[in-house]
Amino acid sequence: MPVQIRKTLLQTETILFEGGRAAPQPSKLFSALAVVKNPWAGRGFVEDLKPEIHAAAPVLGELLTRMIIDAAGSGEAVEAYGKAAVVGLDGETEHASALIHTLRFGNHYRQAVGAKSYLAFCNTRGPANAPVMIPLMDKHDEGRRSHYLTIQTAIPDAPAADEIVVALGASIGGRPHHRIGDRYQDLRDLGQDVANPAGV
């Protein structure tokens, strides 16, 4: 069954001042969201989610990636990226996870922005107007804390109980006055191996 998209939403946030000071350069945050019918709604416990994942995830990945790239101007312009999904109250968190935790979804975005790092993510369940939290990280460097950002938004009429909100996020620039360093300096200070931070 093809994915049923009820509507899409594109938002741009521009940060000009932070902490009472003008940003050296304005930071831009983009979010692209699609409200889709939950393909597993009303079917009870579905053991095999793959058919619907294979049908829906590539369509959503391509659509939302195109929206982000059009807003940012190019894939090269995107510095940080992430993804999220919120399933309505009649669904499982597994349903939200299913549509975004597949290479059939994320690889559209990774390839379009030339990313090396994994896509930061959030998957939750909630009613209409539930917060959609899209965590971001630098697309090349997971330890670059200046680009640890979270886009928070909501859609007043979504997700309905039988819907899923699927989202991608991006930034051009990091936090305007970032001053907490990066994780590599912490590792050096603690005498830990930068190449093996977990020590395994």
Side-chain angles (χ1 to χ4, degrees), residues 3 48-65 83 97-111 119 166 168:
V3 61
D48 183 6
L49 306 181
K50 283 185 180 179
E52 293 78 16
I53 292 171
H54 291 183
V59 175
L60 294 169
E62 182 179 0
L63 169 66
L64 296 174
T65 296
K83 61 185 176 182
S97 300
L99 294 183
I100 63 171
H101 294 304
T102 169
L103 299 180
R104 290 171 171 81
F105 176 78
N107 275 0
H108 289 277
Y109 199 16
R110 286 186 195 91
Q111 291 166 5
L119 268 163
V166 180
L168 291 179

Side-chain angles (χ1 to χ4, degrees), residues 14 16 25 37 39 43-44 53-54 57 61 72 74 77-78 89 94-95 99 109 114 116 137 143 147 150-151 159 162:
T14 304
L16 304 171
Q25 282 190 307
K37 175 84 169 177
R43 296 172 53 191
I53 292 171
H54 291 183
S74 70
V78 171
L89 295 178
E94 192 73 359
H95 299 161
L99 294 183
Y109 199 16
K116 299 176 183 176
M137 72 164 60
H147 285 59
T150 303
I151 298 170
D162 63 348

Side-chain angles (χ1 to χ4, degrees), residues 96-162:
S97 300
L99 294 183
I100 63 171
H101 294 304
T102 169
L103 299 180
R104 290 171 171 81
F105 176 78
N107 275 0
H108 289 277
Y109 199 16
R110 286 186 195 91
Q111 291 166 5
V113 302
K116 299 176 183 176
S117 61
Y118 68 88
L119 268 163
F121 64 88
C122 181
N123 33 253
T124 56
R125 177 170 48 222
N129 211 37
V132 181
M133 310 291 284
I134 313 172
L136 308 180
M137 72 164 60
D138 185 283
K139 69 180 183 181
H140 296 314
D141 184 353
E142 295 96 334
R144 189 182 181 197
R145 289 184 180 142
S146 61
H147 285 59
Y148 291 174
L149 295 155
T150 303
I151 298 170
Q152 179 174 334
T153 188
I155 304 176
D157 67 344
D162 63 348

